Short mmCIF file of all heavy atoms in Angstrom, two decimals:
data_model
loop_
_atom_site.label_atom_id
_atom_site.label_comp_id
_atom_site.label_asym_id
_atom_site.label_seq_id
_atom_site.Cartn_x
_atom_site.Cartn_y
_atom_site.Cartn_z
N LEU A 1123 8.13 -3.03 -21.78
CA LEU A 1123 6.93 -2.93 -22.61
C LEU A 1123 6.05 -1.74 -22.23
O LEU A 1123 5.35 -1.19 -23.09
CB LEU A 1123 6.11 -4.23 -22.52
CG LEU A 1123 6.73 -5.45 -23.21
CD1 LEU A 1123 5.93 -6.71 -22.88
CD2 LEU A 1123 6.78 -5.24 -24.72
N VAL A 1124 6.06 -1.36 -20.95
CA VAL A 1124 5.21 -0.25 -20.53
C VAL A 1124 6.01 1.04 -20.34
O VAL A 1124 5.46 2.04 -19.85
CB VAL A 1124 4.46 -0.58 -19.22
CG1 VAL A 1124 3.58 -1.80 -19.41
CG2 VAL A 1124 5.44 -0.80 -18.05
N SER A 1125 7.25 1.06 -20.75
CA SER A 1125 8.15 2.18 -20.43
C SER A 1125 7.74 3.48 -21.10
O SER A 1125 8.13 4.56 -20.64
CB SER A 1125 9.59 1.82 -20.82
OG SER A 1125 9.69 1.62 -22.23
N ARG A 1126 6.97 3.43 -22.17
CA ARG A 1126 6.58 4.64 -22.90
C ARG A 1126 5.14 5.06 -22.60
O ARG A 1126 4.59 5.91 -23.28
CB ARG A 1126 6.76 4.45 -24.40
CG ARG A 1126 8.21 4.24 -24.83
CD ARG A 1126 9.02 5.53 -24.62
NE ARG A 1126 10.39 5.38 -25.09
CZ ARG A 1126 11.41 5.02 -24.34
NH1 ARG A 1126 11.21 4.76 -23.05
NH2 ARG A 1126 12.62 4.91 -24.83
N THR A 1127 4.53 4.49 -21.61
CA THR A 1127 3.16 4.86 -21.26
C THR A 1127 3.15 6.13 -20.39
O THR A 1127 4.16 6.52 -19.83
CB THR A 1127 2.45 3.73 -20.51
OG1 THR A 1127 3.21 3.39 -19.33
CG2 THR A 1127 2.32 2.50 -21.40
N ASP A 1128 1.96 6.76 -20.32
CA ASP A 1128 1.82 7.99 -19.54
C ASP A 1128 1.45 7.73 -18.09
O ASP A 1128 1.53 8.63 -17.25
CB ASP A 1128 0.75 8.90 -20.18
CG ASP A 1128 1.17 9.38 -21.57
OD1 ASP A 1128 2.36 9.68 -21.76
OD2 ASP A 1128 0.29 9.44 -22.46
N ALA A 1129 1.00 6.54 -17.79
CA ALA A 1129 0.63 6.15 -16.43
C ALA A 1129 0.63 4.63 -16.38
O ALA A 1129 0.59 3.95 -17.42
CB ALA A 1129 -0.73 6.71 -16.04
N LEU A 1130 0.64 4.08 -15.16
CA LEU A 1130 0.75 2.62 -15.02
C LEU A 1130 -0.16 2.13 -13.90
O LEU A 1130 -0.23 2.74 -12.83
CB LEU A 1130 2.19 2.23 -14.72
CG LEU A 1130 2.48 0.73 -14.52
CD1 LEU A 1130 2.17 -0.05 -15.78
CD2 LEU A 1130 3.94 0.53 -14.11
N ILE A 1131 -0.86 1.02 -14.17
CA ILE A 1131 -1.63 0.32 -13.16
C ILE A 1131 -0.92 -0.99 -12.86
O ILE A 1131 -0.73 -1.83 -13.75
CB ILE A 1131 -3.06 0.03 -13.64
CG1 ILE A 1131 -3.81 1.34 -13.89
CG2 ILE A 1131 -3.82 -0.82 -12.62
CD1 ILE A 1131 -5.18 1.15 -14.52
N LEU A 1132 -0.51 -1.18 -11.61
CA LEU A 1132 0.14 -2.40 -11.15
C LEU A 1132 -0.88 -3.19 -10.33
O LEU A 1132 -1.26 -2.76 -9.24
CB LEU A 1132 1.37 -2.06 -10.32
CG LEU A 1132 2.17 -3.22 -9.73
CD1 LEU A 1132 2.73 -4.11 -10.84
CD2 LEU A 1132 3.31 -2.68 -8.85
N ASP A 1133 -1.32 -4.29 -10.87
CA ASP A 1133 -2.40 -5.07 -10.25
C ASP A 1133 -1.82 -6.17 -9.36
O ASP A 1133 -1.27 -7.15 -9.85
CB ASP A 1133 -3.28 -5.67 -11.34
CG ASP A 1133 -4.58 -6.24 -10.81
OD1 ASP A 1133 -4.68 -6.45 -9.59
OD2 ASP A 1133 -5.50 -6.48 -11.62
N LEU A 1134 -1.97 -6.00 -8.04
CA LEU A 1134 -1.48 -6.99 -7.08
C LEU A 1134 -2.63 -7.66 -6.34
O LEU A 1134 -2.42 -8.27 -5.29
CB LEU A 1134 -0.53 -6.31 -6.07
CG LEU A 1134 0.71 -5.63 -6.63
CD1 LEU A 1134 1.53 -5.02 -5.50
CD2 LEU A 1134 1.55 -6.58 -7.46
N ARG A 1135 -3.83 -7.60 -6.88
CA ARG A 1135 -5.00 -8.14 -6.18
C ARG A 1135 -4.91 -9.64 -5.98
O ARG A 1135 -5.44 -10.17 -5.01
CB ARG A 1135 -6.28 -7.78 -6.94
CG ARG A 1135 -6.66 -6.32 -6.87
CD ARG A 1135 -7.87 -6.01 -7.71
NE ARG A 1135 -7.59 -6.19 -9.14
CZ ARG A 1135 -8.50 -6.04 -10.10
NH1 ARG A 1135 -9.75 -5.70 -9.78
NH2 ARG A 1135 -8.16 -6.21 -11.37
N GLY A 1136 -4.25 -10.35 -6.88
CA GLY A 1136 -4.13 -11.79 -6.75
C GLY A 1136 -2.73 -12.25 -6.40
O GLY A 1136 -2.39 -13.42 -6.60
N ASN A 1137 -1.93 -11.35 -5.84
CA ASN A 1137 -0.52 -11.66 -5.59
C ASN A 1137 -0.33 -12.16 -4.16
O ASN A 1137 -0.61 -11.45 -3.20
CB ASN A 1137 0.34 -10.41 -5.84
CG ASN A 1137 1.81 -10.74 -5.95
OD1 ASN A 1137 2.40 -11.35 -5.08
ND2 ASN A 1137 2.41 -10.32 -7.06
N GLY A 1138 0.20 -13.39 -4.04
CA GLY A 1138 0.41 -14.00 -2.74
C GLY A 1138 1.79 -13.81 -2.15
O GLY A 1138 2.12 -14.42 -1.14
N GLY A 1139 2.61 -12.97 -2.77
CA GLY A 1139 3.93 -12.68 -2.20
C GLY A 1139 5.06 -13.33 -2.96
O GLY A 1139 4.93 -13.71 -4.13
N GLY A 1140 6.21 -13.45 -2.29
CA GLY A 1140 7.37 -14.03 -2.95
C GLY A 1140 8.67 -13.56 -2.32
O GLY A 1140 8.77 -13.41 -1.11
N SER A 1141 9.64 -13.27 -3.16
CA SER A 1141 11.01 -13.04 -2.73
C SER A 1141 11.29 -11.59 -2.37
O SER A 1141 10.93 -10.67 -3.11
CB SER A 1141 11.96 -13.46 -3.87
OG SER A 1141 13.25 -12.96 -3.66
N PRO A 1142 11.99 -11.35 -1.25
CA PRO A 1142 12.40 -9.97 -0.91
C PRO A 1142 13.30 -9.35 -1.97
O PRO A 1142 13.23 -8.15 -2.22
CB PRO A 1142 13.16 -10.14 0.41
CG PRO A 1142 12.65 -11.42 0.99
CD PRO A 1142 12.35 -12.30 -0.18
N ASP A 1143 14.14 -10.16 -2.62
CA ASP A 1143 14.98 -9.64 -3.69
C ASP A 1143 14.14 -9.17 -4.87
O ASP A 1143 14.44 -8.15 -5.49
CB ASP A 1143 15.97 -10.71 -4.17
CG ASP A 1143 17.01 -11.05 -3.12
OD1 ASP A 1143 17.47 -10.13 -2.42
OD2 ASP A 1143 17.35 -12.23 -2.97
N GLY A 1144 13.08 -9.92 -5.16
CA GLY A 1144 12.18 -9.52 -6.23
C GLY A 1144 11.43 -8.24 -5.89
O GLY A 1144 11.22 -7.37 -6.75
N VAL A 1145 11.04 -8.10 -4.62
CA VAL A 1145 10.39 -6.87 -4.18
C VAL A 1145 11.32 -5.68 -4.38
O VAL A 1145 10.91 -4.61 -4.85
CB VAL A 1145 9.97 -6.97 -2.70
CG1 VAL A 1145 9.42 -5.64 -2.21
CG2 VAL A 1145 8.93 -8.06 -2.50
N ALA A 1146 12.59 -5.86 -4.04
CA ALA A 1146 13.56 -4.78 -4.21
C ALA A 1146 13.72 -4.39 -5.67
O ALA A 1146 13.84 -3.20 -6.01
CB ALA A 1146 14.91 -5.19 -3.61
N LEU A 1147 13.70 -5.39 -6.57
CA LEU A 1147 13.83 -5.10 -7.99
C LEU A 1147 12.62 -4.33 -8.51
O LEU A 1147 12.76 -3.31 -9.19
CB LEU A 1147 14.02 -6.40 -8.78
CG LEU A 1147 14.15 -6.26 -10.30
CD1 LEU A 1147 15.27 -5.30 -10.67
CD2 LEU A 1147 14.37 -7.63 -10.94
N TRP A 1148 11.42 -4.80 -8.17
CA TRP A 1148 10.21 -4.07 -8.58
C TRP A 1148 10.23 -2.66 -8.03
O TRP A 1148 9.95 -1.68 -8.77
CB TRP A 1148 8.97 -4.80 -8.09
CG TRP A 1148 8.48 -5.91 -8.95
CD1 TRP A 1148 8.49 -7.25 -8.65
CD2 TRP A 1148 7.87 -5.80 -10.24
NE1 TRP A 1148 7.94 -7.97 -9.68
CE2 TRP A 1148 7.55 -7.12 -10.66
CE3 TRP A 1148 7.58 -4.73 -11.07
CZ2 TRP A 1148 6.94 -7.38 -11.90
CZ3 TRP A 1148 6.97 -4.98 -12.30
CH2 TRP A 1148 6.67 -6.29 -12.72
N SER A 1149 10.55 -2.51 -6.75
CA SER A 1149 10.54 -1.18 -6.13
C SER A 1149 11.52 -0.24 -6.83
O SER A 1149 11.24 0.96 -7.00
CB SER A 1149 10.92 -1.29 -4.65
OG SER A 1149 10.00 -2.10 -3.93
N SER A 1150 12.65 -0.77 -7.25
CA SER A 1150 13.69 0.05 -7.86
C SER A 1150 13.23 0.74 -9.13
O SER A 1150 13.68 1.86 -9.44
CB SER A 1150 14.93 -0.81 -8.17
OG SER A 1150 15.46 -1.38 -6.99
N TYR A 1151 12.33 0.11 -9.87
CA TYR A 1151 11.85 0.72 -11.11
C TYR A 1151 11.02 1.98 -10.86
O TYR A 1151 10.89 2.82 -11.76
CB TYR A 1151 11.03 -0.29 -11.91
CG TYR A 1151 11.89 -1.13 -12.82
CD1 TYR A 1151 12.31 -2.40 -12.43
CD2 TYR A 1151 12.33 -0.65 -14.05
CE1 TYR A 1151 13.12 -3.16 -13.25
CE2 TYR A 1151 13.14 -1.39 -14.87
CZ TYR A 1151 13.54 -2.66 -14.47
OH TYR A 1151 14.35 -3.41 -15.28
N PHE A 1152 10.50 2.14 -9.65
CA PHE A 1152 9.62 3.27 -9.37
C PHE A 1152 10.26 4.30 -8.45
O PHE A 1152 9.60 5.26 -8.05
CB PHE A 1152 8.32 2.74 -8.75
CG PHE A 1152 7.65 1.70 -9.60
CD1 PHE A 1152 7.52 0.40 -9.15
CD2 PHE A 1152 7.18 2.02 -10.86
CE1 PHE A 1152 6.91 -0.57 -9.93
CE2 PHE A 1152 6.57 1.06 -11.66
CZ PHE A 1152 6.43 -0.25 -11.19
N LEU A 1153 11.54 4.12 -8.14
CA LEU A 1153 12.25 5.03 -7.24
C LEU A 1153 13.51 5.56 -7.93
O LEU A 1153 14.03 4.93 -8.85
CB LEU A 1153 12.62 4.30 -5.95
CG LEU A 1153 11.44 3.80 -5.10
CD1 LEU A 1153 11.95 2.93 -3.95
CD2 LEU A 1153 10.62 4.96 -4.58
N PRO A 1154 14.00 6.71 -7.49
CA PRO A 1154 15.19 7.30 -8.13
C PRO A 1154 16.41 6.38 -8.04
O PRO A 1154 16.45 5.42 -7.26
CB PRO A 1154 15.41 8.59 -7.32
CG PRO A 1154 14.08 8.91 -6.73
CD PRO A 1154 13.43 7.58 -6.45
N ALA A 1155 17.43 6.72 -8.82
CA ALA A 1155 18.62 5.88 -8.90
C ALA A 1155 19.39 5.83 -7.58
O ALA A 1155 20.05 4.83 -7.30
CB ALA A 1155 19.53 6.39 -10.02
N LYS A 1156 19.32 6.89 -6.79
CA LYS A 1156 20.01 6.86 -5.50
C LYS A 1156 19.40 5.76 -4.65
O LYS A 1156 18.20 5.72 -4.43
CB LYS A 1156 19.85 8.20 -4.79
CG LYS A 1156 20.60 8.26 -3.47
CD LYS A 1156 20.43 9.62 -2.79
CE LYS A 1156 21.15 9.65 -1.45
NZ LYS A 1156 21.00 10.98 -0.78
N PRO A 1157 20.23 4.82 -4.13
CA PRO A 1157 19.68 3.69 -3.37
C PRO A 1157 18.81 4.14 -2.19
O PRO A 1157 19.15 5.06 -1.46
CB PRO A 1157 20.94 2.96 -2.88
CG PRO A 1157 21.97 3.29 -3.92
CD PRO A 1157 21.69 4.71 -4.32
N THR A 1158 17.68 3.48 -2.06
CA THR A 1158 16.71 3.76 -1.00
C THR A 1158 16.62 2.56 -0.08
O THR A 1158 16.47 1.42 -0.54
CB THR A 1158 15.32 4.04 -1.61
OG1 THR A 1158 15.40 5.19 -2.45
CG2 THR A 1158 14.29 4.27 -0.52
N HIS A 1159 16.68 2.80 1.22
CA HIS A 1159 16.55 1.73 2.20
C HIS A 1159 15.09 1.31 2.25
O HIS A 1159 14.23 2.06 2.70
CB HIS A 1159 17.03 2.21 3.56
CG HIS A 1159 17.10 1.14 4.60
ND1 HIS A 1159 17.41 1.40 5.92
CD2 HIS A 1159 16.93 -0.22 4.52
CE1 HIS A 1159 17.41 0.28 6.61
NE2 HIS A 1159 17.11 -0.72 5.79
N LEU A 1160 14.79 0.07 1.82
CA LEU A 1160 13.41 -0.39 1.67
C LEU A 1160 12.88 -1.15 2.87
O LEU A 1160 11.76 -0.92 3.32
CB LEU A 1160 13.30 -1.30 0.43
CG LEU A 1160 13.68 -0.68 -0.91
CD1 LEU A 1160 13.72 -1.76 -1.98
CD2 LEU A 1160 12.72 0.43 -1.28
N ASN A 1161 13.69 -2.07 3.39
CA ASN A 1161 13.16 -3.00 4.39
C ASN A 1161 14.30 -3.64 5.16
O ASN A 1161 15.43 -3.73 4.66
CB ASN A 1161 12.32 -4.09 3.70
CG ASN A 1161 11.49 -4.90 4.67
OD1 ASN A 1161 11.06 -4.41 5.71
ND2 ASN A 1161 11.25 -6.15 4.32
N ASN A 1162 14.01 -4.06 6.39
CA ASN A 1162 14.92 -4.89 7.17
C ASN A 1162 14.21 -6.20 7.49
O ASN A 1162 12.99 -6.19 7.71
CB ASN A 1162 15.32 -4.22 8.48
CG ASN A 1162 16.10 -2.94 8.27
OD1 ASN A 1162 16.98 -2.88 7.42
ND2 ASN A 1162 15.77 -1.91 9.03
N ILE A 1163 14.93 -7.29 7.54
CA ILE A 1163 14.37 -8.58 7.94
C ILE A 1163 15.22 -9.16 9.06
O ILE A 1163 16.41 -9.45 8.87
CB ILE A 1163 14.28 -9.56 6.76
CG1 ILE A 1163 13.33 -9.02 5.70
CG2 ILE A 1163 13.81 -10.93 7.25
CD1 ILE A 1163 13.20 -9.90 4.47
N TYR A 1164 14.61 -9.29 10.24
CA TYR A 1164 15.29 -9.89 11.38
C TYR A 1164 14.97 -11.38 11.43
O TYR A 1164 13.80 -11.78 11.37
CB TYR A 1164 14.84 -9.25 12.69
CG TYR A 1164 15.28 -10.05 13.90
CD1 TYR A 1164 16.60 -10.02 14.33
CD2 TYR A 1164 14.38 -10.88 14.57
CE1 TYR A 1164 17.01 -10.78 15.41
CE2 TYR A 1164 14.78 -11.65 15.66
CZ TYR A 1164 16.10 -11.60 16.07
OH TYR A 1164 16.50 -12.36 17.13
N ASP A 1165 16.00 -12.21 11.56
CA ASP A 1165 15.86 -13.65 11.59
C ASP A 1165 16.23 -14.16 12.98
O ASP A 1165 17.38 -13.98 13.43
CB ASP A 1165 16.75 -14.31 10.53
CG ASP A 1165 16.42 -15.77 10.30
OD1 ASP A 1165 16.17 -16.48 11.30
OD2 ASP A 1165 16.41 -16.20 9.15
#
């Protein structure tokens, strides 16, 4: 829906977090197609 806009505001002021997979998906839309190492999680 926002793909044809000239700029974008992403409002996370009320966001309490969620899934690392979801974070990776959101991040991917704003980064080049070449895979980018985003995060590591040690358990």
